[in-house]
Structures are given as C-alpha cells and as structure tokens.
Amino acid sequence: MKIKHFKLISILFFLAFVCAYSIGSPTESNLVVTTLEEKNQNHNKESFPIKPLSVKINEIHVTSRVRNRYAVTTIQSKVKNYNHKAKQASFSVILPDSAFISNFTMEINGQNYTAYVKEKEEAKKIYDEAVAQGSSAAHVATARDSNRFTVSVNVEPETKAAFYLTYEELLKRQNGFYQLVINLHPGELVRNLDVVVEIAESRKLVNVKVPPIRTGNEVQSGINDLDPRAVLDIVNDTSAVIKFTPSEERQKALAHSLGMKEEEGLAGQFVVEYDVERDPIGGEVLVQDGYFVHFFAPKDLKPLLKYIVFILDTSSSMWGQMIRQLKEAMYEVLDQLHPNDLFHLVEFNTNVRVWNLNNYLQSVWYPTSDDVYWSESYGPEDIANRTFPEAYMVNGDNIKKAKESISKFEAVSATDIHTALQVGMHLIKTTKQNIKYANHQPMVMFLTDGEPTVRETSTQKILNDISKLNDQKTPIFALSFGEAADKNFLQKLSLNNYGFSKHIYEGADAALQLQDFYRQISSPLLSNVSFKYEPSVTSLTKNEFSIHFDGSEMVVAGCYDQTENFDESFGNVTAWNGHDTVSMNFTVQRTVSSIERLWAYLSVKQLLDQKEVDEENKALIQKKALELALNYSFVTPVSSLVVVKPNATSSVDVENAKIGEDYSALTDNRFGGVPLSAGLYSDFDYDESIDVPDYNYKTTEKASNDLFMSYPWLNSIVDKEGFITISKGKYKLGLNETISDVVQCKANNKPGYCVLLNSCSQAYSVILSLNDYINYFCELQNEYAGVCCLID
Ligand SMILES: *[C@@H]1O[C@H](CO)[C@@H](O)[C@H](O)[C@H]1NC(C)=O
Ligand SMILES: *[C@@H]1O[C@H](CO)[C@@H](O)[C@H](O)[C@H]1NC(C)=O
Ligand SMILES: *[C@@H]1O[C@H](CO)[C@@H](O)[C@H](O)[C@H]1NC(C)=O
Ligand SMILES: *[C@@H]1O[C@H](CO)[C@@H](O)[C@H](O)[C@H]1NC(C)=O
Ligand SMILES: *[C@@H]1O[C@H](CO)[C@@H](O)[C@H](O)[C@H]1NC(C)=O
Ligand SMILES: *[C@@H]1O[C@H](CO)[C@@H](O)[C@H](O)[C@H]1NC(C)=O
Ligand SMILES: *[C@@H]1O[C@H](CO)[C@@H](O)[C@H](O)[C@H]1NC(C)=O
Ligand SMILES: *[C@@H]1O[C@H](CO)[C@@H](O)[C@H](O)[C@H]1NC(C)=O
Ligand SMILES: *[C@@H]1O[C@H](CO)[C@@H](O)[C@H](O)[C@H]1NC(C)=O
Ligand SMILES: *[C@@H]1O[C@H](CO)[C@@H](O)[C@H](O)[C@H]1NC(C)=O
C-alpha cells in the first residue's frame, strides 16, 4: 500500500495582529508555549483506541537578552511528530502586553521560512487575490485568548519542525524594580527545557532576584516549593546571567505545587527582577551612534502632598464579592494615605454620592432622587449649582469616618459614569480654588466594573466632555474591574487625562490587585516634568510628563547629531517638587549596546497611544507608526506578520480578530489588559481523501536514532541487530516494523494496548529508566518487544 502522502502545507501563513495594546501601564509579561493536539484524531474507528500518537515537544529554549532595560526574547520550540500520519503541531505563545514580535521563523523539513512584516491592508489584499485565484480554502484558527498567538503547522510523519519567535519590550520599572516575566506553558513535560536570561546594564545591578514561579493568576505570597532554583551568575557589577533548567522531575514537582496536573508539565511564570544603581538627580543619558536614551528616576525626594478623589462604582453588578473586595482594598488604601493629603470619597451608581464623613445623611446625592434619572444627561452647570462637602484632610479621625462610610456602600442600580466624572472634575476645580490647597497634587482614582448605562452612554461624548473639563490637567487613573468593564474606553480615558489605566481581574486576590495598583500611585514625587535638550536633538519621544511616581521611571529617547558632543550640558530636566521649579542635570555615558531599537520601540508605542486620542491627526500618526514598524519589523496593531512559501504566488490573509472578546477559555487569563489579538489563517494543502491505514507506515533509520536519543537506557540492552535482551528473553525492538495487532494489556493496574515502543507517545513522559521499561514491557507476536501504552 501506498504510504500516505501529505503535501506539506504549512507554508502559507498569515498572522495578523489586530491589537489594542494596553495603553498606559502594562505590568504583566506573559508567554505561553504549548503544543495542542488535534481534535477528533480518531476518525478511523477500527484503529487503536489508545491515545493517538502525537506531536511531542522535544526542546524549548528561551533566551532573553536585556541591554539597558530593553529585552529581546527568543523562544525556540522543537517538535517532532511521532505519529504515522501527518499531524498538526501548534505553537502558541502569550506575549507580554507591551511586547512587539520582531521575528518569526519556522523550520520545516530542514528549511527556514521567515515571516516578514507588512502593512495590514496590503497583506489582506494579497490574501484575497490568492483566494480569488482558487487557492484552497483558508483554515482558520482563531486565537482563543486575545493575547495568544498561535500557529499551526502540519508536520509529516516522523519529522521535526521548529519555531523561533522573537519579541522585544522595554522593561518597565515599577515599585522600584524591573521585572522580566516569561510564561511557560508547554502543556507537557519537556525533556530539554531551559530559560537563560542575560542582563547587561550600563549601571551597577542592584538586587537581582529570581522570585518563586507564579501561576500568573493570583497574587501569591511566597510558596517555598516554587523556588525555581535558578542559577544566578553575577558576572560583574553590571552583568548577570540567570539559568533555569528544570528537569522533567522538577517540572512535575513545580506543576504539582502550582496546582496543575503533573503530566501536563510546568505552567507558570518565570520571573527575574532587578534594579540598577542610579543617578540621584537628573538621571542618566546613554548615547551610542547617534541615538540616546535618558532614564530618569530620582531618589531621595519628599513626596508631594496629594489630593485624591476616589470615584467608586457601586452599581448593582458590583454586588457580592466585588463590592466586598472593593471595601477591603479601600480600607487598606485609606490607611496608606499620607498625613495632610486630601481626599474626597465619591460613590456612584444611578446617582452620584459625595460622602459627607461627618453626617452620613447630608452626603450629597447627585442627581437627587426626585430627578428623573433616565432622562437627559446633566452638564457642569447643573453640578455647579450644588453644594458638596469640602475635601477631607488625612488624619486618624477622618480615616476612621471614611472607613465607616465605605462600610455603608451598597451595590444598587445602574452606572452613570458621565455624571460621576463630571462631579469629580467639579470637586477638583473647587478644591484647587482654595489657596490652602494650591500645592496639593490632584488626582482621580476611578473604578468601574461596567459600561455607562444611564443618562450619557456614549463613551466618546464622555471622553470629550471630561477632557474639556479637566483644565487642571488632573491625572485620571482608571481601573476596569472584571470582564464586563469597557477596558478600551477606560484606557482612553486615562490616556486622555495624563494617567494610566489598569485592569483588575475578578478573583480571590482582587483586593490585593487594587492595593498593588494604589501603591504605584501613592507617592507622587514631581509634577510637570520636562526634558529639554539642545535643538540639534531630533526624533524625540515624549518629553513632558504630568507626574512622576516613586518607584517608577521616565524614559526619553531621541537622535542627536554625531558631530556634536553630547555631554552634561546638552540639556536638563525641570520639574515642580511641591515648592519650587527645579532644574536637574543628568550624567552622560557612552554605551556599547545599540539604542536604536529601544528608540524605535518607544516611538512606535507612543505613536500608537497618540493615535487613540488624537482624532484629528489619526491618519498621519498611523502612517508614521507604520513606517517605523515596517523599518524595524515590529508587529503592531498597524502591521501584520506574513509567512509565505518561497516562490509562492499566493495566499496570505488577515485575521480580523475582535479585541477583548472570548478570553474566558484560558485558565490563566491575567495577561495585563486586552492587549493583543492574534489570529492565523493558514492554507492547508493536503488531500483528505487519500487515507491509508496508519499501520503501513515504516519508520525510518532517522527515527531509530531518535529512539535511542530519547531513551538513553535502551543502549544498554540493545544489540547491533536491533534485539534487546531482558530477563524475560530476547526480543526484536521492531524499529522497522509496524504491528497492527490489537493486544490488550495492563501496567500499573491500568488498562492499555501493547504496541511497539516507537508507537507509544505517552512513553516519553512515563518510561524514564530501564526499570520503568520492565514495568511497562509486553510481548507482541511472541517476538517483538512492546510497551503497554495506557488508555489516557
Ligand atoms: C529572523 O530570524 C531568521 C532566522 O533566525 C534570520 O535569518 C533573520 O535574519 C531574522 N530576521 C530579522 C529581521 O531579524
Ligand atoms: C533556521 O533558523 C534557526 C534560528 O536562527 C537556526 O538555528 C537554524 O539553524 C536555521 N535552520 C536552517 C535550516 O537554516
Ligand atoms: C561585565 O561583563 C560583561 C560580559 O562579560 C562585559 O561585556 C562587560 O564589559 C563587563 N563589564 C565590566 C565593567 O567589567
Ligand atoms: C440652581 O439652583 C437654583 C435654586 O435652587 C435654581 O433656581 C436654578 O434654576 C438652578 N440652576 C440650574 C442651572 O440648575
Ligand atoms: C510646567 O513647566 C513649564 C516649564 O518647563 C512651565 O513653563 C509651566 O508653566 C509649568 N506648568 C505648570 C502648571 O506649572
Ligand atoms: C547644571 O549644568 C549647567 C550647565 O551645564 C551648569 O551651569 C550648572 O552649574 C549645573 N548645575 C549643577 C547643580 O551642577
Ligand atoms: C536646560 O537645557 C536647555 C537646553 O539645553 C537650555 O537652553 C537651558 O539653558 C538649560 N537650563 C539650565 C538651567 O541649565
Ligand atoms: C525607514 O527606512 C528608510 C530607508 O532606510 C528611511 O528612508 C526612512 O526614513 C525610515 N523611516 C523611518 C520612519 O524611520
Ligand atoms: C525559487 O524558484 C527558483 C526557480 O525554480 C529556484 O532556483 C529557487 O531556489 C527557489 N527559491 C526558493 C527559496 O525555493
Ligand atoms: C532497518 O532498515 C534499514 C534500511 O532498510 C536497515 O539499514 C537497518 O539495518 C534496519 N534496521 C533493523 C534494526 O532492522
């Protein structure tokens, strides 16, 4: 019989990224590598009822090179199809929400196919043309999670495939350190799994740490069993290498501690944290080849006095756990306010209540209950006509009363975001008019779990109105709580209003997430921060920031004319420190590692953000972003990744994946916002109709070599002719044979079918030693050595 012949498809791919990158403050970094089994594999009912042989990941290597906080991470995943039929191998990755993919290569049949980045529409056109020409129908594999990037490739029997994905990101400093997070979810035990992180900074490293492996879901508190036992090699003051190489045994143990199934392998986040020693004043500028980057995170400053308006959603959807968690978090947050800070407590649902801490009954409900609340919306004039309580000073008494007020929060009725924010803006305006409070830095912490549902429900109108009202340039920090919140709107709200947004995931740890977020904004150090350089500096990224928080960092990059000497007098940083406008000098250092990509990355990021808020210049901004993205091969919301068969004339496509939908399927869905949507249309070009029973396939010489590599203990019992000798006798290993007998057996008291070793995919994770082999051994046709391959 003819060996089933698959034309290798795989070759036409298109990966499109329709992304709403998390604007503002991405914190989670995520990466998942997995191999997924094809569904409905057992079409041939007469075939073995055992778990079908499958594609196995033999190696995963993750290498992350961090230079001046810019991390370039490459994942290599090598798979092999041990089946007798062509099988689909999927490579699935969840990207850090701030990362751009910059390279994707597939190695199939010893040949590399590298993706290139194209403009979205152009890519779509190519695909449409190909389809029109009658190329076979596209196979759609939409990513389940909007962050997940999945590529599926058909792999011919007994052959290997490899995937190489590179992505780049600028590490963000938060709470005083940088964090590189690598998510590992191979979905199975992997014989060769390693992660190598190389850090080389221009400044001395401080506190390089490898915290426990995390699930990526709940904020955990130090679980001893999850120490990755990574090898941390401090090469010198400025560079370090971290290696994480868990054996299969260790992967099982970690999986177990993470609450996963052992045989599904490690599923968690490997994290490296560090900080650098820094210039206490104006920051450090690194220069190289016409590009520079300025890192600014001054130390030893007194926090500014702040005036924070909490605007908290208590609509009926907050009922139950969510409002409990909000209360719990707010008690902690109130305790962390600094003495002499000011605050207002605003609760909103259909009505907006500005709490009077001294007299609950006099808290101002706005609009009052006799208003017909579902009718027209209210404007600033309506609000100006009311009298609200003054801002409260932080002291023991007021905090106590504020907690009592919070305890009275009740989840009822609908969500009037428009009025709530307008009231907030009004409170800020009136409070800042009080000369006593002129030095208090105003800010808004806005939390909602839903969309606007009463009065003004157009998010665009809300954005416009609030921007107009916010003449104090008050930063608004918007928190979207739970999956029903309109994250996209809240991101824009913050972006428009000098702040950043964050998504709070529903879960047992929601209160901790809220507190964690508050910690980031709890200590404003400087406001109105402006970076100035000599006029010869061009292509400058954003250089004016409304507020700088303790533990974070500001980054500005640009180009300079190399004929000029970039030194300490080339510019300075000015800012308001609560009392004076201060000017700070920076230090300058030449560096060997390139800064160009860092600059390009930052420029593209900021253009994409700008595009969201600047309706007028949207097209121009998008064009600029695209040009840069194409020049540096970044896969962004405006560019697409295309893999095309060399010499192919056809077939590429665009996935118009919807953003932010359908992320429920993944257990670990805490991937920092709704950043990235990845989709794939691949053009599978094999003929289903030629179906030949599995068993006629003959393994190749190459396969037997792999068998010995996969099972090193086999060498000690096999002879040159391919016979093995064990206590029960001498048997043929059957490297070149296929046995189609259905022989039931039992091993470890579980039922299975006796098959040749090379036909049992589970064996790779089960039979790790000669002893295991003896336990699973069974005889086939009185002469062949089989193993009992368990059913599931
Ligand atoms: C992408 O990776 C491939 C394979 O490693 C390499 O040949 C190619 O030069 C890379 N492309 C870019 C743009 O870095
Ligand atoms: C394909 O690219 C990878 C990554 O750069 C490289 O390691 C491998 O050797 C390449 N394979 C071929 C056949 O060129
Ligand atoms: C530290 O080690 C790295 C890597 O070996 C090297 O490139 C760098 O020059 C060294 N730095 C110093 C200050 O010795
Ligand atoms: C403001 O309040 C006064 C007195 O209650 C009322 O007469 C007036 O119509 C109100 N103005 C607006 C714009 O609501
Ligand atoms: C912010 O700083 C600039 C100078 O860098 C100054 O011109 C401006 O008035 C300041 N704005 C505020 C609100 O202090
Ligand atoms: C900052 O730099 C300017 C110009 O180089 C210089 O005049 C000034 O003295 C410096 N200030 C400090 C505090 O070093
Ligand atoms: C700050 O830098 C700018 C640009 O180099 C320069 O014009 C200005 O004089 C500097 N101010 C101070 C106080 O050094
Ligand atoms: C992109 O590269 C081309 C050619 O190198 C260059 O002319 C162009 O200015 C670059 N565009 C951007 C935005 O960097
Ligand atoms: C494309 O086709 C030409 C002519 O058939 C061949 O010489 C060349 O090697 C092919 N290129 C690739 C990458 O397959
Ligand atoms: C398997 O077949 C190959 C080629 O037909 C032959 O060279 C090899 O010796 C055979 N191996 C065994 C163990 O029979």
Side-chain angles (χ1 to χ4, degrees):
M1 269 194 273
K2 199 169 139 246
I3 287 172
K4 182 169 182 176
H5 185 75
F6 287 100
K7 247 208 263 167
L8 191 70
I9 56 99
S10 16
I11 317 208
L12 294 178
F13 280 92
F14 179 82
L15 316 170
F17 291 75
V18 183
C19 321
Y21 276 77
S22 148
I23 306 155
S25 109
T27 51
E28 308 288 337
S29 295
N30 306 284
L31 158 67
V32 167
V33 182
T34 186
T35 301
L36 305 169
E37 292 219 304
E38 216 178 82
K39 282 190 191 117
N40 309 321
Q41 292 124 326
N42 265 338
H43 8 239
N44 185 347
K45 304 246 165 25
E46 274 83 61
S47 69
F48 278 149
I50 59 168
K51 194 176 173 189
L53 312 177
S54 59
V55 178
K56 159 106 190 126
I57 302 175
N58 286 336
E59 296 173 35
I60 291 178
H61 306 287
V62 182
T63 315
S64 208
R65 289 163 55 95
V66 188
R67 300 283 177 274
N68 301 321
R69 292 76 144 169
Y70 192 67
V72 179
T73 303
T74 301
I75 313 142
Q76 293 185 24
S77 174
K78 299 193 175 175
V79 302
K80 184 173 172 197
N81 180 6
Y82 289 97
N83 205 320
H84 299 162
K85 295 169 72 167
K87 280 276 167 190
Q88 192 168 314
S90 295
F91 173 67
S92 179
V93 168
I94 291 186
L95 295 154
D97 57 5
S98 57
F100 293 143
I101 288 178
S102 59
N103 199 343
F104 177 64
T105 300
M106 288 187 298
E107 187 175 339
I108 298 161
N109 278 358
Q111 195 174 349
N112 272 351
Y113 302 100
T114 295
Y116 53 92
V117 179
K118 281 213 145 201
E119 198 268 328
K120 262 209 161 72
E121 295 303 313
E122 193 184 334
K124 169 105 177 118
K125 221 187 292 167
I126 300 172
Y127 176 77
D128 289 344
E129 278 165 18
V131 170
Q133 281 164 19
S135 302
S136 48
H139 174 97
V140 185
T142 314
R144 275 177 161 179
D145 187 275
S146 52
N147 291 17
R148 193 185 272 249
F149 160 88
T150 305
V151 182
S152 299
V153 165
N154 237 34
V155 182
E156 287 192 290
E158 299 294 340
T159 61
K160 295 177 182 171
F163 304 95
Y164 307 89
L165 181 87
T166 304
Y167 63 82
E168 310 187 8
E169 69 193 308
L170 182 63
L171 302 182
K172 211 175 168 85
R173 186 168 185 260
Q174 238 165 38
N175 298 326
F177 53 85
Y178 305 99
Q179 207 175 51
L180 178 75
V181 179
I182 294 168
N183 234 342
L184 296 164
H185 291 229
E188 62 188 69
L189 295 169
V190 179
R191 199 169 297 263
N192 294 301
L193 172 63
D194 59 43
V195 179
V196 179
V197 177
E198 297 170 26
I199 304 172
E201 284 290 344
S202 47
R203 287 278 166 143
K204 279 189 187 168
L205 297 175
V206 183
N207 285 335
V208 184
K209 276 196 290 204
V210 187
I213 303 277
R214 299 175 192 163
T215 61
N217 273 323
E218 320 261 299
V219 178
Q220 295 156 304
S221 48
I223 298 169
N224 296 338
D225 296 348
L226 291 172
D227 182 347
R229 301 184 197 159
V231 179
L232 173 56
D233 178 15
I234 305 286
V235 180
N236 56 34
D237 277 359
T238 58
S239 81
V241 178
I242 297 102
K243 289 197 174 111
F244 173 52
T245 48
S247 65
E248 282 179 294
E249 280 310 305
R250 185 76 188 129
Q251 290 170 42
K252 278 189 194 171
L254 287 168
H256 180 79
S257 304
L258 288 160
M260 320 275 171
K261 285 191 193 149
E262 289 187 358
E263 63 279 10
E264 286 174 7
L266 176 59
Q269 297 182 324
F270 176 74
V271 181
V272 175
E273 293 173 353
Y274 74 99
D275 196 16
V276 297
E277 225 174 61
R278 48 190 76 245
D279 186 85
I281 316 289
E284 53 166 330
V285 171
L286 303 175
V287 295
Q288 202 254 4
D289 272 355
Y291 291 88
F292 76 92
V293 58
H294 189 164
F295 294 105
F296 179 73
K299 300 196 299 185
D300 310 330
L301 293 173
K302 228 176 117 216
L304 301 174
L305 286 170
K306 65 178 178 291
Y307 161 41
I308 182 159
V309 181
F310 297 101
I311 306 180
L312 308 171
D313 186 343
T314 57
S315 59
S316 54
S317 50
M318 289 284 292
W319 192 84
Q321 167 155 294
M322 287 170 99
I323 196 152
R324 266 200 309 278
Q325 290 171 328
L326 174 61
K327 289 178 180 183
E328 194 188 316
M330 281 306 297
Y331 299 146
E332 289 297 318
V333 165
L334 286 167
D335 278 334
Q336 285 164 30
L337 289 172
H338 302 165
N340 300 323
D341 282 352
L342 294 172
F343 69 100
H344 258 123
L345 200 53
V346 182
E347 176 193 0
F348 76 98
N349 36 62
T350 297
N351 291 321
V352 181
R353 169 179 276 179
V354 181
W355 276 83
N356 184 327
L357 302 188
N358 297 312
N359 187 340
Y360 157 66
L361 294 172
Q362 283 174 16
S363 295
V364 180
W365 274 117
Y366 183 84
T368 51
S369 49
D370 50 359
D371 287 308
V372 183
Y373 56 67
W374 53 83
S375 67
E376 79 251 56
S377 52
Y378 294 86
E381 308 77 32
D382 306 301
I383 292 164
N385 216 13
R386 315 246 164 182
T387 314
F388 295 97
E390 271 190 38
Y392 295 95
M393 185 72 81
V394 172
N395 58 41
D397 189 38
N398 281 338
I399 294 301
K400 184 162 160 278
K401 288 175 183 161
K403 287 183 185 173
E404 282 164 15
S405 305
I406 296 224
S407 72
K408 296 197 179 91
F409 278 17
E410 265 181 76
V412 288
S413 70
T415 312
D416 183 357
I417 289 177
H418 188 237
T419 311
L421 285 168
Q422 288 192 98
V423 166
M425 290 296 117
H426 173 77
L427 292 174
I428 286 166
K429 191 174 229 159
T430 46
T431 304
K432 292 300 287 179
Q433 276 163 0
N434 186 336
I435 192 93
K436 279 191 299 188
Y437 303 144
N439 282 345
H440 280 76
Q441 169 66 43
M443 49 211 250
V444 170
M445 183 168 143
F446 177 79
L447 176 139
T448 180
D449 74 330
E451 300 168 342
T453 55
V454 279
R455 301 201 187 83
E456 186 53 69
T457 55
S458 151
T459 52
Q460 191 56 53
K461 175 90 166 68
I462 297 175
L463 289 173
N464 292 346
D465 286 356
I466 300 308
S467 294
K468 236 177 274 158
L469 285 175
N470 190 6
D471 48 9
Q472 303 283 325
K473 297 197 172 178
T474 300
I476 298 181
F477 301 99
L479 297 164
S480 50
F481 191 2
E483 297 309 331
D486 185 345
K487 296 182 218 180
N488 200 19
F489 157 63
L490 293 171
Q491 285 173 347
K492 281 188 186 175
L493 177 69
S494 285
L495 204 53
N496 265 331
N497 291 286
Y498 321 96
F500 47 85
S501 71
K502 169 93 179 110
H503 185 68
I504 304 295
Y505 290 81
E506 279 174 69
D509 66 334
L512 286 174
Q513 295 175 54
L514 278 165
Q515 289 164 38
D516 216 44
F517 174 80
Y518 174 74
R519 199 145 56 100
Q520 281 178 50
I521 60 164
S522 62
S523 284
L525 297 179
L526 295 167
S527 65
N528 195 22
V529 186
S530 168
F531 294 75
K532 296 201 188 72
Y533 308 96
E534 288 297 308
S536 59
V537 163
T538 56
S539 306
L540 199 58
T541 60
K542 182 176 167 183
N543 70 328
E544 283 179 354
F545 302 84
S546 70
I547 192 161
H548 173 67
F549 292 107
D550 194 19
S552 70
E553 180 177 64
M554 288 174 175
V555 184
V556 179
C559 304
Y560 68 97
D561 182 349
Q562 284 187 77
T563 58
E564 291 195 43
N565 185 25
F566 202 125
D567 64 12
E568 282 73 10
S569 68
F570 223 65
N572 47 56
V573 186
T574 55
W576 174 256
N577 69 3
H579 307 282
D580 301 297
T581 295
V582 288
S583 172
M584 293 163 273
N585 289 349
F586 47 72
T587 62
V588 179
Q589 196 177 342
R590 321 262 134 202
T591 168
V592 284
S593 30
S594 170
I595 291 167
E596 183 173 352
R597 292 190 74 80
L598 188 162
W599 165 82
Y601 169 94
L602 205 56
S603 300
V604 175
K605 276 258 121 141
Q606 292 179 356
L607 286 167
L608 293 173
D609 281 357
Q610 228 179 314
K611 179 172 83 73
E612 291 302 311
V613 296
D614 189 345
E615 287 297 326
E616 213 170 293
N617 300 307
K618 201 172 177 130
L620 186 71
I621 295 167
Q622 168 147 350
K623 189 166 163 280
K624 267 163 93 179
L626 176 65
E627 203 175 280
L628 269 177
L630 294 181
N631 268 13
Y632 291 91
S633 76
F634 289 138
V635 180
T636 67
V638 294
S639 50
S640 294
L641 192 58
V642 186
V643 186
V644 178
K645 175 167 133 188
N647 285 348
T649 51
S650 59
S651 222
V652 181
D653 180 33
V654 170
E655 159 73 0
N656 290 311
K658 289 214 182 94
I659 297 149
E661 290 190 352
D662 194 18
Y663 27 65
S664 50
L666 208 66
T667 49
D668 44 320
N669 60 353
R670 168 91 75 77
F671 295 111
V674 187
L676 189 91
S677 216
L680 156 78
Y681 282 74
S682 50
D683 192 357
F684 280 40
D685 184 17
Y686 74 87
D687 191 348
E688 282 280 10
S689 63
I690 320 170
D691 211 327
V692 181
D694 284 353
Y695 318 124
N696 284 324
Y697 183 76
K698 293 202 184 282
T699 53
T700 62
E701 185 68 21
K702 214 164 122 228
S704 62
N705 285 338
D706 277 326
L707 202 63
F708 293 118
M709 266 162 69
S710 305
Y711 301 108
W713 46 264
L714 207 53
N715 289 303
S716 66
I717 52 167
V718 74
D719 65 16
K720 275 186 289 200
E721 277 77 46
F723 284 86
I724 60 156
T725 308
I726 54 173
S727 58
K728 286 183 181 154
K730 195 171 174 185
Y731 296 90
K732 277 193 208 161
L733 202 45
L735 289 172
N736 286 352
E737 278 81 7
T738 301
I739 295 174
S740 48
D741 299 13
V742 177
V743 181
Q744 297 193 352
C745 59
K746 265 193 174 182
N748 281 351
N749 273 329
K750 289 180 201 140
Y753 291 87
C754 189
V755 298
L756 291 175
L757 184 58
N758 61 14
S759 301
C760 179
S761 61
Q762 293 100 311
Y764 288 90
S765 49
V766 178
I767 302 180
L768 302 172
S769 65
L770 185 54
N771 255 348
D772 294 336
Y773 180 64
I774 304 292
N775 283 337
Y776 282 85
F777 178 84
C778 54
E779 219 179 73
L780 280 168
Q781 295 181 355
N782 291 326
E783 52 172 338
Y784 289 102
V787 291
C788 193
C789 205
L790 301 183
I791 300 167
D792 273 331

